[in-house]
Amino acid sequence: MKTHTLSSHIISYVLLFCIGLFLVTFSIYYYFTRSTIQETTKENAVALANNTVNRIELVLNTEERIPEIVAKMLESSFLDRDSLIPFLKSILKNNKNICGSSISYEPNYFPDKGMFYAPYVFRQGSKIRSTMLGNENYEYAFMDWYQIPKMTQTPYWSEPYFDEGGGNMLMTTYSVPFYTYKKRERTFSGVVTIDISLEWLTKIMSTVKIFKTGYAFLISQNGTIITHPNKDYVMNQSIFTIAKENNQPGMRDIGRQMIKGGGNFASADFKSKWHPGKLWINYKGLPSSHWSIGVIYPESEMFASLHQINIILICLIVVGLFLLSLFTVKIIRKLTSPLKHFADSARLIAAGDFNVQLPEIKTQDEMKELYNSFSYMQKELAEYIVSLKDTTAAKEKIESELRIASEIQMAMIPHIFPPFPDLPQVDVFAVLKSAKEVGGDLYDFFVIDGNKFCFAIGDVSGKGVPASLFMAVTRTLVRSISDKEISPSVIVSTLNKSLSSNNESSMFVTFFLGVLDLATGELRYSNAGHNPPVVIRGNGDVIMFEKTKYIPVGLFEDFDYGELSLQLAPGDKIFLYTDGVSEAENVENKLFGEDNLMKVIGENVKASPRDLIHNMEVGLAEHVKGHTQSDDITMMTIVYNG
Amino acid sequence: MNVLVTSSNDYTIVTIEGRIDATSSNEFEKSVMEVIEEGNTKIILDCSGLNYISSSGLRVFLIALKKMKAIKGQLKLCNLQPVIQGIFDVSGFATIFSIFPDQKSAMER
């Protein structure tokens, strides 16, 4: 399973971190750059508007001076009535922006000239012509250009208009009131006007560009569009009519601010058919004429450069992250490539190949440490396995020897049942279960002289090999002694003498030996410190033999062993056992005990020797409940059939 | 298995606690032999805390008895629990060891 490699883990963490870092950096960068751009744009737009206003004002102010000077001249009677037309002509000749000029007197100012006196000079083609204004159809004294300066007593810029007679030019008229002294009183006497072509204004305005499509426009003090890239608007629409047509109250509000002469830089609170999306507007009033100039541009263009930079930046980062991933993969693969090798080596070592080649490590880092540990492990493991093999071989040898010893030991005791098929007077069954491979328990039985049945059971102190050797000696001695003797006490005494001499290890054997006269049923026995056997009478009585006063054999060379006798009737049984039975322990160290032993016997008084021993084994198993057998267990049952 | 050696009225008292089986008999043998080799001639084995003895343990008792007999010393047993007394009775060892009900009576005789 290699669905997730170390490198993919590390890369995913590194990438996640880098992306996070980038997002934070980018957001901060974007925020600050955006506000910087906005600020810079504002400054530019304001400067642009101011600059444009100044350019226009420069022209207008220059032109304003002319009628003002004329008015002063008239007031001081510097000009006489007949020189007015040549004077005006000379003004036109010297001022290309001026298309026409008049000095319009109050009606009936000159009673001899009739109602109207207003010499007017104007350009027609390249010629300069003159005429007199005023007749019944054109009573100039009621015109705005005349009325407003008269009433306000201040100069007045008229609303721009198309001069249909003079070449379809956009024009505006500047009217300055003039005064003369009548009866020493300064009295309003008429208006000096100049008609100015606004072509230059349109030119100036058309040079104002901001960003890609941003433009400037000019409105009059009524809101009429004076200049606009869309020629259809010029003089035909006002900012308010456009606002109404497009249902944009925000545009109307801005229009109101503009005609009040205010100035501001703001995001436009309106939409335009010209450019969908958010717009920004900057406007400023012209002090002299009360017109207002507006500079408008789309936000998308304002931030276009930012967006372009963003795209470049994102591309760079994506490429950068990709390269970083590649680089990281390479580095990690390079650094961790020995790990896979180590894993393979470990698998081979586990399979037993201790000479497997480890990956070569040239660096002096953790990988080198791993290499050192690994090769140390390899070496130790190899040595350990060698010693383990030796130990195992030695152990197996001992075990096999013990197994053979066990077989030899088992062969020493009778193990074919029934042992005497042609001897109906007696039947025997016995088991011996060693706690270890070999044990120190023994039983034996044989027939002497054809009518004496000799049997013995014994338990050597301790367990294992020493006990088994002592057991073998004991068993051999018993057989050889009983060749010559039939008295149990003599056999036991002789055995004791042989075992006691030179018994440096102080090992001893508890030993019970009985000789049953098959003809009479008399049992003579000698008990050397062995657990008292149990006699089961044919009528069901169960009696334990008395406790012995004789010590186990092998202790004191000159100890005297006596013998006792017991009369058996046909059907009587004798149950013999070692302390492995009565002292069998369970997990709680509770002994099986003589009580349980007697109980099991009591339940099996009629059972055959084989069944009795089998049931005793079952009882023992129930008691110990699987607890490890700690001592050798031996049981023997003899039935006397008479 | 635990062995505690104390002295009282010329007697060296070896108090045995726990079990003496095949596993602990070697340790027990070593402890008892040390006491004998130190030259103590009057030894009482207090078996009040002894609750199990295997044939390997009995062997140690016998070795101790033999050694003490060889140097004509005294080895007395006291405070045998009924189970231990039973084992001594069954094996006939009760007939070759001097067994007393308590330390006091062991010292008196």
Side-chain angles (χ1 to χ4, degrees):
Chain A
M1 278 285 284
K2 264 188 78 176
T3 47
H4 296 289
T5 58
L6 190 62
S7 50
S8 73
H9 274 301
I10 293 175
I11 286 161
S12 55
Y13 287 132
V14 167
L15 276 187
L16 273 181
F17 177 77
C18 286
I19 289 168
L21 195 68
F22 159 68
L23 283 178
V24 171
T25 314
F26 184 78
S27 306
I28 294 169
Y29 155 80
Y30 184 81
Y31 175 78
F32 282 108
T33 312
R34 196 184 150 95
S35 44
T36 306
I37 287 177
Q38 200 169 313
E39 198 57 39
T40 312
T41 310
K42 181 183 173 179
E43 282 167 16
N44 285 345
V46 169
L48 188 66
N50 286 347
N51 185 30
T52 313
V53 165
N54 290 339
R55 280 167 73 189
I56 297 168
E57 284 289 289
L58 188 69
V59 177
L60 291 181
N61 286 344
T62 313
E63 308 301 340
E64 275 175 350
R65 302 294 290 280
I66 293 163
E68 279 162 11
I69 289 166
V70 173
K72 290 283 177 209
M73 287 166 79
L74 290 169
E75 189 173 341
S76 57
S77 304
F78 199 77
L79 289 169
D80 70 42
R81 201 175 72 183
D82 299 323
S83 63
L84 289 179
I85 288 178
F87 177 69
L88 290 176
K89 278 188 176 174
S90 73
I91 288 174
L92 256 67
K93 209 175 276 175
N94 294 321
N95 293 279
K96 292 219 169 91
N97 286 332
I98 298 174
C99 303
S101 182
S102 78
I103 298 170
S104 308
Y105 283 87
E106 271 281 274
N108 296 314
Y109 186 86
F110 298 114
D112 57 325
K113 293 288 182 187
M115 181 80 161
F116 307 108
Y117 189 77
Y120 178 56
V121 178
F122 62 96
R123 289 180 200 277
Q124 195 169 54
S126 57
K127 301 257 173 74
I128 297 168
R129 299 186 185 276
S130 65
T131 184
M132 293 301 283
L133 298 177
N135 51 47
E136 293 82 27
N137 298 327
Y138 187 66
E139 292 187 34
Y140 60 79
F142 298 114
M143 293 289 159
D144 277 359
W145 57 266
Y146 189 92
Q147 278 283 321
I148 292 170
K150 179 184 174 183
M151 294 302 176
T152 58
Q153 300 185 359
T154 49
Y156 167 71
W157 280 100
S158 75
E159 282 287 298
Y161 56 91
F162 267 110
D163 176 38
E164 281 159 16
N168 270 343
M169 278 196 301
L170 184 63
M171 307 269 281
T172 182
T173 300
Y174 184 61
S175 320
V176 180
F178 69 91
Y179 302 85
T180 53
Y181 290 87
K182 275 190 174 174
K183 298 170 191 168
R184 293 180 172 253
E185 207 173 305
R186 193 171 180 265
T187 343
F188 172 79
S189 307
V191 170
V192 181
T193 68
I194 48 167
D195 302 334
I196 298 171
S197 157
L198 291 182
E199 291 298 300
W200 59 273
L201 190 63
T202 312
K203 265 183 206 152
I204 287 177
M205 291 300 287
S206 67
T207 62
V208 179
K209 295 272 183 209
I210 186 159
F211 299 124
K212 205 172 161 195
T213 59
Y215 63 89
F217 64 94
L218 191 68
I219 59 170
S220 74
Q221 48 192 316
N222 288 340
T224 310
I225 305 287
I226 303 171
T227 71
H228 196 278
N230 186 346
K231 298 276 184 239
D232 295 343
Y233 284 172
V234 176
M235 297 310 294
N236 291 329
Q237 296 267 33
S238 80
I239 190 164
F240 303 110
T241 56
I242 295 170
K244 200 172 179 188
E245 271 177 23
N246 295 304
N247 196 19
Q248 297 289 339
M251 194 188 286
R252 192 188 63 203
D253 294 341
I254 284 183
R256 280 180 185 159
Q257 290 292 323
M258 287 177 80
I259 61 170
K260 271 188 202 160
N264 198 10
F265 175 87
S267 76
D269 189 19
F270 57 83
K271 302 272 178 201
S272 166
K273 277 190 260 174
W274 160 64
H275 196 288
K278 204 174 171 188
L279 301 172
W280 287 76
I281 187 164
N282 179 39
Y283 54 90
K284 188 175 168 65
L286 273 74
S288 58
S289 57
H290 302 294
W291 299 341
S292 187
I293 186 166
V295 177
I296 190 162
Y297 50 88
E299 182 177 88
S300 60
E301 290 178 12
M302 173 156 80
F303 297 120
S305 59
L306 179 63
H307 291 151
Q308 200 178 350
I309 290 172
N310 285 350
I311 288 164
I312 292 169
L313 208 57
I314 287 169
C315 289
L316 282 177
I317 283 162
V318 167
V319 171
L321 288 177
F322 178 70
L323 290 177
L324 179 71
S325 310
L326 279 184
F327 184 68
T328 316
V329 169
K330 268 231 172 284
I331 291 274
I332 292 167
R333 290 250 169 94
K334 191 172 154 56
L335 288 179
T336 59
S337 66
L339 283 182
K340 200 189 153 341
H341 230 96
F342 275 127
D344 294 342
S345 304
R347 220 166 283 131
L348 285 173
I349 289 173
D353 181 3
F354 298 109
N355 298 319
V356 65
Q357 190 72 39
L358 292 181
E360 201 179 323
I361 308 292
K362 284 174 187 143
T363 52
Q364 291 292 332
D365 52 8
E366 289 86 346
M367 208 55 84
K368 184 74 180 175
E369 268 177 49
L370 182 64
Y371 173 83
N372 291 341
S373 311
F374 224 88
S375 57
Y376 180 73
M377 181 194 83
Q378 199 178 16
K379 189 170 137 271
E380 289 291 301
L381 214 51
E383 284 172 9
Y384 173 72
I385 290 295
V386 168
S387 91
L388 189 67
K389 272 180 184 164
D390 291 349
T391 315
T392 311
K395 195 164 171 265
E396 275 171 3
K397 195 172 164 219
I398 291 171
E399 274 172 5
S400 107
E401 284 175 359
L402 279 175
R403 205 163 39 244
I404 295 164
S406 170
E407 282 165 13
I408 293 169
Q409 190 181 26
M410 285 303 128
M412 287 169 77
I413 55 174
H415 50 274
I416 297 164
F417 300 102
F420 312 114
D422 50 351
L423 206 67
Q425 298 96 317
V426 70
D427 190 18
V428 190
F429 187 77
V431 293
L432 192 160
K433 286 199 287 186
S434 296
K436 297 183 175 176
E437 283 82 357
V438 290
D441 276 10
L442 78 149
Y443 68 80
D444 201 4
F445 50 81
F446 44 89
V447 177
I448 309 170
D449 297 342
N451 63 347
K452 298 263 196 286
F453 179 69
C454 180
F455 59 95
I457 189 164
D459 180 4
V460 180
S461 59
K463 295 187 289 267
V465 176
S468 74
L469 289 173
F470 213 77
M471 169 262 180
V473 171
T474 308
R475 187 257 173 204
T476 313
L477 282 171
V478 171
R479 284 274 177 131
S480 65
I481 294 163
S482 17
D483 267 357
K484 301 156 204 143
E485 299 288 345
I486 54 159
S487 157
S489 59
V490 175
I491 297 172
V492 171
S493 294
T494 314
L495 175 68
N496 179 49
K497 213 162 268 169
S498 300
L499 287 176
S500 302
S501 58
N502 304 319
N503 182 8
E504 292 306 317
S505 61
S506 287
M507 295 188 77
F508 57 86
V509 193
T510 67
F511 194 71
F512 181 98
L513 186 127
V515 176
L516 176 63
D517 189 322
L518 294 177
T520 64
E522 190 202 10
L523 172 67
R524 299 196 69 79
Y525 62 93
S526 183
N527 185 354
H530 195 76
N531 299 64
V534 180
V535 62
I536 307 157
R537 295 295 186 188
N539 62 5
D541 287 348
V542 179
I543 308 140
M544 191 172 264
F545 280 47
E546 71 292 324
K547 279 174 185 162
T548 183
K549 54 185 184 182
Y550 306 119
I551 62 169
V553 290
L555 294 168
F556 301 104
E557 227 176 298
D558 47 0
F559 192 87
D560 278 332
Y561 291 89
E563 63 180 52
L564 292 168
S565 99
L566 181 73
Q567 185 59 50
L568 293 186
D572 287 356
K573 279 176 276 198
I574 296 173
F575 177 77
L576 301 105
Y577 59 94
T578 58
D579 59 2
V581 177
S582 55
E583 291 173 17
E585 281 184 320
N586 61 11
V587 187
E588 294 104 43
N589 289 338
K590 200 166 171 282
L591 306 182
F592 186 63
E594 284 173 7
D595 294 344
N596 276 325
L597 186 106
M598 294 302 275
K599 190 168 151 260
V600 175
I601 293 172
E603 286 163 2
N604 292 281
V605 287
K606 296 291 177 197
S608 69
R610 187 185 287 269
D611 289 346
L612 173 59
I613 286 172
H614 174 73
N615 289 338
M616 191 64 77
E617 283 177 323
V618 170
L620 276 173
E622 279 172 8
H623 175 74
V624 301
K625 290 190 188 78
H627 190 53
T628 317
Q629 181 187 342
S630 63
D631 201 358
D632 305 333
I633 289 174
T634 304
M635 289 183 274
M636 179 160 71
T637 305
I638 296 150
V639 60
Y640 174 63
N641 293 324
Chain B
M1 205 275 303
N2 243 329
V3 170
L4 181 72
V5 183
T6 53
S7 282
S8 173
N9 297 343
D10 298 347
Y11 282 92
T12 304
I13 299 159
V14 180
T15 310
I16 310 155
E17 274 183 10
R19 302 159 55 91
I20 303 176
D21 51 24
T23 332
S24 57
S25 63
N26 282 342
E27 192 193 336
F28 176 58
E29 182 174 351
K30 216 175 125 204
S31 308
V32 174
M33 288 311 133
E34 267 174 27
V35 174
I36 294 170
E37 277 156 20
E38 277 166 14
N40 298 302
T41 52
K42 292 178 168 181
I43 298 174
I44 294 175
L45 297 178
D46 186 332
C47 304
S48 54
L50 178 67
N51 45 36
Y52 175 79
I53 187 158
S54 75
S55 56
S56 312
L58 287 174
R59 197 184 125 251
V60 180
F61 274 71
L62 273 165
I63 293 168
L65 184 64
K66 280 187 179 177
K67 292 249 178 190
M68 292 309 284
K69 276 194 173 167
I71 60 167
K72 300 217 161 38
Q74 293 179 26
L75 181 73
K76 297 178 179 177
L77 272 55
C78 69
N79 283 330
L80 269 65
Q81 289 183 19
V83 183
I84 309 297
Q85 182 72 51
I87 291 167
F88 272 77
D89 288 344
V90 165
S91 62
F93 277 18
T95 59
I96 54 167
F97 280 96
S98 310
I99 299 176
F100 299 90
D102 50 42
Q103 283 189 25
K104 196 171 164 246
S105 50
M107 287 178 204
E108 279 166 2
R109 269 181 274 168

